[in-house]
Amino acid sequence: HRCGATGFVFGALRPGGEPDVKALRRMIAATGGAPATLHRAFDVARCQRDAYKDAHKLGFDAILTSGGAADCLAGADQIGVLLSLRGELHGPEILVGGGVTPEAILTLRRRYPTVRSFHMSAKAAEPSKMRYRHPDVPMGLPGLDEWTNYYVDEKLVRAAKQALTAPL
């Protein structure tokens, strides 16, 4: 926080799948009062309802979640449950993540008018311009394609903004 961070995203679970309240309490204290978001560890918690309540008691500002599914559309039902819980408890914001696209934003906004926050990478890929490719010297992690460049796609960002502001 002293180095200029304006917010933090972190999470921790105990071996049984419950939030590690003791560790999370220390992490929140270390933020110095800056906003804190519980990351997608939440999605693999044993019980999201209990994890949400713990996050609320701990003082998290938001929870990044796909609704406990591979992506936000697959987890849409659970996102609805969490949005209801947010309203009921006046708890942490539901920051929808995982497979967020402009289409997913529109779909979820239409289904849940109270959804307000989305986390999207807007990632696109293009082949590297490298013509020579040494086959015996990997430079990255195993399974990572070294000959693909990933970038934030401006068109996706513009489409997401349009999806966020479109009348329902």
Side-chain angles (χ1 to χ4, degrees), residues 2-66:
R2 294 184 303 249
C3 296
T6 58
F8 296 89
V9 181
F10 51 85
L13 296 176
R14 300 200 34 80
E18 307 82 19
D20 188 335
V21 173
K22 186 176 177 184
L24 293 169
R25 189 174 288 120
R26 287 194 314 268
M27 289 181 217
I28 285 178
T31 70
T37 296
L38 179 58
H39 71 40
R40 287 192 61 207
F42 177 82
D43 283 331
V44 294
R46 179 178 301 279
C47 174
Q48 286 191 344
R49 185 174 187 80
D50 290 345
Y52 186 93
K53 289 178 180 179
D54 286 341
H56 179 50
K57 288 177 195 169
L58 286 163
F60 277 97
D61 299 282
I63 297 171
L64 177 59
T65 181
S66 63

Coordinates of all heavy atoms in Angstrom, one line a residue, residues 2-66:
R2 N 2.0 1.2 0.7 CA 2.9 2.4 0.8 C 3.6 2.6 -0.5 O 4.1 3.7 -0.8 CB 3.9 2.1 1.9 CG 3.3 2.1 3.3 CD 4.4 2.0 4.3 NE 5.2 0.8 4.0 CZ 5.2 -0.3 4.8 NH1 4.5 -0.3 5.9 NH2 6.0 -1.3 4.5
C3 N 3.6 1.6 -1.4 CA 4.3 1.7 -2.7 C 3.3 2.2 -3.8 O 3.7 2.2 -5.0 CB 4.9 0.4 -3.0 SG 6.2 -0.1 -1.9
G4 N 2.1 2.5 -3.5 CA 1.2 3.0 -4.5 C 0.1 2.1 -4.9 O -0.8 2.5 -5.7
A5 N 0.0 0.9 -4.4 CA -1.2 0.0 -4.7 C -2.4 0.7 -4.2 O -2.5 1.2 -3.1 CB -1.0 -1.3 -4.1
T6 N -3.5 0.6 -5.0 CA -4.8 1.2 -4.5 C -5.8 0.1 -4.2 O -6.9 0.5 -3.8 CB -5.3 2.1 -5.6 OG1 -5.5 1.3 -6.8 CG2 -4.4 3.3 -5.9
G7 N -5.4 -1.1 -4.3 CA -6.3 -2.2 -3.9 C -5.6 -3.5 -4.0 O -4.5 -3.6 -4.6
F8 N -6.1 -4.5 -3.4 CA -5.5 -5.8 -3.4 C -6.5 -7.0 -3.7 O -7.7 -6.8 -3.4 CB -4.9 -6.1 -2.0 CG -3.8 -5.1 -1.7 CD1 -4.1 -3.9 -1.1 CD2 -2.5 -5.4 -2.0 CE1 -3.1 -3.0 -0.8 CE2 -1.5 -4.5 -1.7 CZ -1.8 -3.3 -1.1
V9 N -6.0 -8.0 -4.3 CA -6.8 -9.2 -4.6 C -6.0 -10.4 -4.1 O -4.9 -10.6 -4.5 CB -7.0 -9.3 -6.2 CG1 -7.9 -10.5 -6.5 CG2 -7.6 -8.1 -6.7
F10 N -6.7 -11.2 -3.2 CA -6.0 -12.3 -2.6 C -7.1 -13.3 -2.1 O -8.2 -12.9 -2.0 CB -5.0 -11.9 -1.5 CG -5.6 -11.0 -0.5 CD1 -6.3 -11.5 0.6 CD2 -5.4 -9.6 -0.6 CE1 -6.8 -10.7 1.6 CE2 -6.0 -8.8 0.4 CZ -6.7 -9.3 1.4
G11 N -6.6 -14.5 -1.7 CA -7.5 -15.4 -1.1 C -6.7 -16.6 -0.5 O -5.6 -16.7 -0.8
A12 N -7.4 -17.3 0.4 CA -6.8 -18.5 1.0 C -7.9 -19.4 1.5 O -8.8 -18.9 2.1 CB -5.9 -18.0 2.1
L13 N -7.7 -20.7 1.3 CA -8.6 -21.7 1.8 C -7.9 -22.6 2.7 O -6.7 -22.9 2.6 CB -9.2 -22.5 0.6 CG -10.1 -21.7 -0.3 CD1 -10.6 -22.6 -1.5 CD2 -11.3 -21.1 0.3
R14 N -8.6 -23.2 3.6 CA -8.1 -24.3 4.5 C -8.2 -25.6 3.7 O -8.9 -25.6 2.7 CB -8.9 -24.3 5.8 CG -8.7 -23.0 6.6 CD -9.0 -22.9 8.0 NE -8.7 -24.1 8.8 CZ -7.5 -24.4 9.2 NH1 -6.4 -23.7 9.0 NH2 -7.3 -25.5 10.0
P15 N -7.5 -26.6 4.2 CA -7.6 -27.9 3.5 C -9.0 -28.5 3.3 O -9.2 -29.2 2.3 CB -6.7 -28.8 4.3 CG -5.8 -27.9 5.0 CD -6.6 -26.6 5.3
G16 N -9.9 -28.1 4.1 CA -11.3 -28.6 4.0 C -12.1 -27.8 3.1 O -13.3 -28.1 2.9
G17 N -11.6 -26.8 2.4 CA -12.3 -26.0 1.5 C -13.0 -24.8 2.1 O -13.8 -24.1 1.4
E18 N -12.7 -24.4 3.4 CA -13.3 -23.3 4.0 C -12.3 -22.1 3.9 O -11.1 -22.4 3.8 CB -13.6 -23.5 5.5 CG -14.4 -24.7 5.8 CD -13.6 -26.0 5.8 OE1 -12.4 -26.0 6.0 OE2 -14.2 -27.1 5.7
P19 N -12.8 -20.9 3.8 CA -11.9 -19.7 3.8 C -11.0 -19.8 5.1 O -11.4 -20.1 6.2 CB -12.8 -18.5 3.9 CG -14.1 -19.0 3.3 CD -14.2 -20.4 3.7
D20 N -9.7 -19.5 4.9 CA -8.7 -19.5 6.0 C -8.9 -18.1 6.6 O -8.1 -17.2 6.3 CB -7.3 -19.7 5.5 CG -6.3 -19.9 6.6 OD1 -6.6 -19.4 7.7 OD2 -5.3 -20.6 6.4
V21 N -9.8 -18.0 7.5 CA -10.2 -16.7 8.1 C -9.0 -16.1 8.8 O -8.8 -14.9 8.7 CB -11.4 -16.9 9.1 CG1 -11.6 -15.6 9.9 CG2 -12.6 -17.3 8.3
K22 N -8.2 -16.9 9.5 CA -7.0 -16.3 10.2 C -6.0 -15.7 9.3 O -5.6 -14.6 9.5 CB -6.4 -17.5 11.0 CG -5.3 -17.0 11.9 CD -4.8 -18.2 12.8 CE -3.6 -17.8 13.6 NZ -3.0 -18.9 14.4
A23 N -5.7 -16.4 8.2 CA -4.8 -15.9 7.2 C -5.4 -14.7 6.5 O -4.7 -13.7 6.3 CB -4.4 -17.0 6.2
L24 N -6.6 -14.8 6.1 CA -7.3 -13.7 5.4 C -7.3 -12.4 6.3 O -7.2 -11.3 5.8 CB -8.7 -14.1 4.9 CG -8.7 -15.1 3.8 CD1 -10.1 -15.7 3.6 CD2 -8.1 -14.6 2.5
R25 N -7.6 -12.6 7.6 CA -7.6 -11.4 8.5 C -6.3 -10.7 8.5 O -6.2 -9.5 8.5 CB -8.0 -11.9 9.9 CG -8.3 -10.8 10.9 CD -8.8 -11.2 12.2 NE -10.1 -11.7 12.1 CZ -10.5 -13.0 12.4 NH1 -9.7 -13.9 12.8 NH2 -11.8 -13.3 12.3
R26 N -5.2 -11.5 8.5 CA -3.8 -10.9 8.5 C -3.6 -10.2 7.1 O -3.0 -9.1 7.1 CB -2.7 -12.0 8.7 CG -2.7 -12.5 10.1 CD -1.4 -13.3 10.4 NE -1.1 -14.3 9.3 CZ -1.5 -15.6 9.3 NH1 -2.2 -16.0 10.3 NH2 -1.1 -16.4 8.4
M27 N -4.0 -10.8 6.1 CA -3.8 -10.2 4.7 C -4.6 -8.9 4.6 O -4.1 -7.9 4.1 CB -4.3 -11.1 3.6 CG -3.4 -12.3 3.4 SD -4.0 -13.3 2.1 CE -3.6 -15.0 2.7
I28 N -5.8 -8.8 5.1 CA -6.6 -7.6 5.1 C -6.0 -6.5 5.9 O -5.9 -5.4 5.5 CB -8.1 -7.9 5.5 CG1 -8.8 -8.6 4.4 CG2 -8.8 -6.6 5.9 CD1 -10.2 -9.0 4.7
A29 N -5.5 -6.9 7.1 CA -4.8 -6.0 8.0 C -3.5 -5.4 7.2 O -3.2 -4.2 7.4 CB -4.3 -6.6 9.3
A30 N -2.9 -6.2 6.4 CA -1.7 -5.7 5.7 C -2.0 -4.8 4.6 O -1.1 -4.0 4.1 CB -0.9 -6.9 5.2
T31 N -3.3 -4.7 4.2 CA -3.6 -3.7 3.1 C -3.6 -2.3 3.6 O -3.7 -1.4 2.8 CB -5.0 -4.0 2.5 OG1 -6.0 -3.7 3.5 CG2 -5.1 -5.5 2.0
G32 N -3.6 -2.1 4.9 CA -3.6 -0.7 5.4 C -4.9 0.0 5.1 O -4.9 1.2 5.0
G33 N -6.0 -0.7 5.0 CA -7.3 -0.1 4.7 C -7.6 0.1 3.3 O -8.7 0.6 2.9
A34 N -6.8 -0.4 2.4 CA -7.1 -0.3 0.9 C -8.1 -1.3 0.6 O -8.3 -2.3 1.3 CB -5.8 -0.5 0.1
P35 N -8.9 -1.1 -0.5 CA -9.9 -2.1 -0.9 C -9.3 -3.5 -1.1 O -8.2 -3.6 -1.6 CB -10.4 -1.5 -2.2 CG -10.1 0.0 -2.1 CD -8.8 0.1 -1.4
A36 N -10.1 -4.5 -0.7 CA -9.6 -5.9 -0.8 C -10.7 -6.7 -1.5 O -11.9 -6.6 -1.2 CB -9.3 -6.4 0.6
T37 N -10.2 -7.5 -2.5 CA -11.1 -8.4 -3.2 C -10.7 -9.8 -3.0 O -9.5 -10.1 -3.1 CB -11.0 -8.1 -4.8 OG1 -11.5 -6.8 -5.0 CG2 -11.9 -9.1 -5.6
L38 N -11.6 -10.6 -2.6 CA -11.4 -12.1 -2.5 C -11.3 -12.7 -3.8 O -12.3 -12.6 -4.6 CB -12.5 -12.7 -1.6 CG -12.4 -14.2 -1.4 CD1 -11.1 -14.6 -0.7 CD2 -13.6 -14.7 -0.6
H39 N -10.2 -13.3 -4.2 CA -10.1 -13.9 -5.6 C -10.8 -15.2 -5.7 O -11.5 -15.6 -4.9 CB -8.6 -13.9 -6.0 CG -7.8 -14.9 -5.4 ND1 -8.1 -16.2 -5.1 CD2 -6.5 -14.9 -5.0 CE1 -7.1 -16.9 -4.6 NE2 -6.1 -16.1 -4.5
R40 N -10.6 -15.8 -6.9 CA -11.4 -17.0 -7.3 C -11.2 -18.2 -6.4 O -11.8 -19.2 -6.7 CB -11.3 -17.2 -8.8 CG -12.0 -16.2 -9.6 CD -12.2 -16.5 -11.0 NE -12.9 -17.7 -11.2 CZ -12.8 -18.5 -12.3 NH1 -11.9 -18.2 -13.2 NH2 -13.5 -19.6 -12.4
A41 N -10.3 -18.1 -5.4 CA -10.3 -19.2 -4.5 C -11.7 -19.5 -4.0 O -12.2 -20.6 -3.7 CB -9.4 -18.9 -3.3
F42 N -12.5 -18.4 -3.9 CA -13.9 -18.4 -3.5 C -14.7 -19.5 -4.4 O -15.6 -20.2 -3.9 CB -14.5 -17.0 -3.7 CG -16.0 -17.0 -3.4 CD1 -16.4 -16.8 -2.1 CD2 -16.9 -17.0 -4.5 CE1 -17.8 -16.7 -1.9 CE2 -18.3 -16.9 -4.2 CZ -18.7 -16.8 -2.9
D43 N -14.3 -19.6 -5.7 CA -15.0 -20.5 -6.5 C -14.8 -22.0 -6.2 O -15.6 -22.8 -6.6 CB -14.6 -20.2 -8.0 CG -15.3 -19.0 -8.6 OD1 -16.4 -18.7 -8.1 OD2 -14.7 -18.4 -9.5
V44 N -13.8 -22.3 -5.5 CA -13.5 -23.7 -5.1 C -13.8 -23.9 -3.6 O -13.4 -25.0 -3.1 CB -12.1 -24.2 -5.6 CG1 -12.1 -24.2 -7.1 CG2 -11.0 -23.3 -5.0
A45 N -14.4 -22.9 -3.0 CA -14.7 -23.1 -1.5 C -15.8 -24.2 -1.4 O -16.6 -24.4 -2.3 CB -15.2 -21.8 -0.9
R46 N -15.8 -24.9 -0.3 CA -16.8 -25.9 -0.1 C -18.2 -25.4 -0.1 O -19.1 -26.0 -0.7 CB -16.6 -26.6 1.3 CG -17.6 -27.7 1.7 CD -17.3 -28.3 3.0 NE -16.0 -28.9 3.1 CZ -15.7 -30.1 2.6 NH1 -16.6 -30.8 2.0 NH2 -14.5 -30.6 2.7
C47 N -18.5 -24.3 0.5 CA -19.8 -23.7 0.5 C -19.7 -22.2 0.2 O -19.2 -21.4 1.1 CB -20.5 -23.9 1.8 SG -22.1 -23.1 2.0
Q48 N -20.2 -21.8 -0.9 CA -20.0 -20.3 -1.3 C -20.8 -19.4 -0.4 O -20.4 -18.3 -0.1 CB -20.4 -20.1 -2.8 CG -19.3 -20.6 -3.7 CD -19.5 -20.1 -5.1 OE1 -20.6 -19.7 -5.5 NE2 -18.5 -20.2 -5.9
R49 N -22.0 -19.9 0.0 CA -22.8 -19.1 0.9 C -22.1 -18.8 2.2 O -22.0 -17.6 2.7 CB -24.1 -19.8 1.2 CG -25.1 -18.9 2.0 CD -26.5 -19.6 2.2 NE -27.4 -18.8 2.8 CZ -28.1 -17.8 2.2 NH1 -27.9 -17.6 0.9 NH2 -28.9 -17.1 2.9
D50 N -21.5 -19.8 2.8 CA -20.7 -19.6 4.1 C -19.4 -18.8 3.8 O -19.1 -17.9 4.6 CB -20.3 -20.9 4.7 CG -21.5 -21.7 5.3 OD1 -22.5 -21.1 5.5 OD2 -21.3 -22.9 5.5
A51 N -18.8 -19.0 2.6 CA -17.6 -18.2 2.3 C -17.9 -16.8 2.1 O -17.2 -15.9 2.4 CB -17.0 -18.8 1.0
Y52 N -19.1 -16.5 1.5 CA -19.6 -15.1 1.3 C -19.7 -14.4 2.6 O -19.3 -13.3 2.8 CB -20.9 -15.1 0.5 CG -21.2 -13.6 0.1 CD1 -20.9 -13.1 -1.0 CD2 -22.0 -12.9 1.1 CE1 -21.2 -11.7 -1.3 CE2 -22.3 -11.5 0.8 CZ -21.9 -11.0 -0.4 OH -22.2 -9.7 -0.7
K53 N -20.4 -15.1 3.6 CA -20.6 -14.6 4.9 C -19.3 -14.3 5.6 O -19.1 -13.3 6.2 CB -21.5 -15.5 5.7 CG -22.9 -15.5 5.3 CD -23.7 -16.5 6.1 CE -25.2 -16.5 5.6 NZ -26.0 -17.5 6.4
D54 N -18.3 -15.2 5.5 CA -17.0 -15.0 6.0 C -16.3 -13.8 5.4 O -15.7 -12.9 6.1 CB -16.1 -16.2 5.8 CG -16.4 -17.4 6.7 OD1 -17.1 -17.2 7.8 OD2 -16.0 -18.5 6.4
A55 N -16.4 -13.7 4.1 CA -15.8 -12.5 3.4 C -16.4 -11.2 3.9 O -15.7 -10.2 4.0 CB -16.0 -12.7 1.9
H56 N -17.7 -11.2 4.1 CA -18.5 -10.0 4.6 C -18.0 -9.7 6.0 O -17.6 -8.5 6.2 CB -19.9 -10.3 4.5 CG -20.8 -9.2 5.0 ND1 -20.7 -7.9 4.6 CD2 -21.8 -9.2 6.0 CE1 -21.6 -7.2 5.2 NE2 -22.3 -7.9 6.1
K57 N -17.9 -10.6 6.8 CA -17.4 -10.4 8.2 C -16.0 -9.9 8.2 O -15.6 -9.0 9.1 CB -17.5 -11.6 9.1 CG -18.9 -12.0 9.4 CD -18.9 -13.3 10.2 CE -20.3 -13.9 10.3 NZ -20.3 -15.3 10.8
L58 N -15.2 -10.4 7.3 CA -13.8 -10.0 7.3 C -13.6 -8.6 6.7 O -12.5 -8.0 6.8 CB -12.9 -11.0 6.4 CG -12.7 -12.3 7.1 CD1 -12.2 -13.4 6.1 CD2 -11.6 -12.1 8.2
G59 N -14.6 -8.1 6.0 CA -14.5 -6.7 5.4 C -14.0 -6.6 4.0 O -13.6 -5.6 3.5
F60 N -14.1 -7.7 3.3 CA -13.8 -7.7 1.8 C -14.8 -6.7 1.1 O -16.0 -6.7 1.5 CB -13.9 -9.1 1.2 CG -12.7 -9.9 1.3 CD1 -12.6 -10.8 2.3 CD2 -11.6 -9.7 0.5 CE1 -11.4 -11.6 2.5 CE2 -10.4 -10.5 0.6 CZ -10.3 -11.4 1.7
D61 N -14.3 -6.0 0.2 CA -15.1 -5.1 -0.6 C -15.8 -5.8 -1.8 O -16.8 -5.4 -2.2 CB -14.2 -3.9 -1.2 CG -13.6 -3.1 0.0 OD1 -14.3 -2.3 0.6 OD2 -12.4 -3.4 0.3
A62 N -15.1 -6.8 -2.3 CA -15.6 -7.5 -3.5 C -15.2 -9.0 -3.5 O -14.2 -9.3 -2.8 CB -15.2 -6.8 -4.8
I63 N -15.9 -9.8 -4.3 CA -15.5 -11.2 -4.4 C -15.5 -11.4 -5.9 O -16.5 -11.2 -6.6 CB -16.5 -12.1 -3.8 CG1 -16.5 -11.9 -2.3 CG2 -16.2 -13.6 -4.1 CD1 -17.6 -12.6 -1.5
L64 N -14.4 -11.8 -6.5 CA -14.2 -12.2 -7.9 C -14.7 -13.6 -8.0 O -14.1 -14.5 -7.4 CB -12.7 -12.1 -8.3 CG -12.4 -12.4 -9.7 CD1 -13.2 -11.6 -10.7 CD2 -10.9 -12.3 -9.9
T65 N -15.7 -13.8 -8.9 CA -16.3 -15.2 -9.0 C -16.9 -15.4 -10.3 O -17.4 -14.5 -11.0 CB -17.4 -15.4 -7.9 OG1 -17.9 -16.7 -8.0 CG2 -18.5 -14.4 -8.0
S66 N -16.8 -16.7 -10.7 CA -17.5 -17.2 -11.9 C -18.8 -17.9 -11.5 O -19.4 -18.7 -12.3 CB -16.6 -18.1 -12.7 OG -16.3 -19.3 -11.9

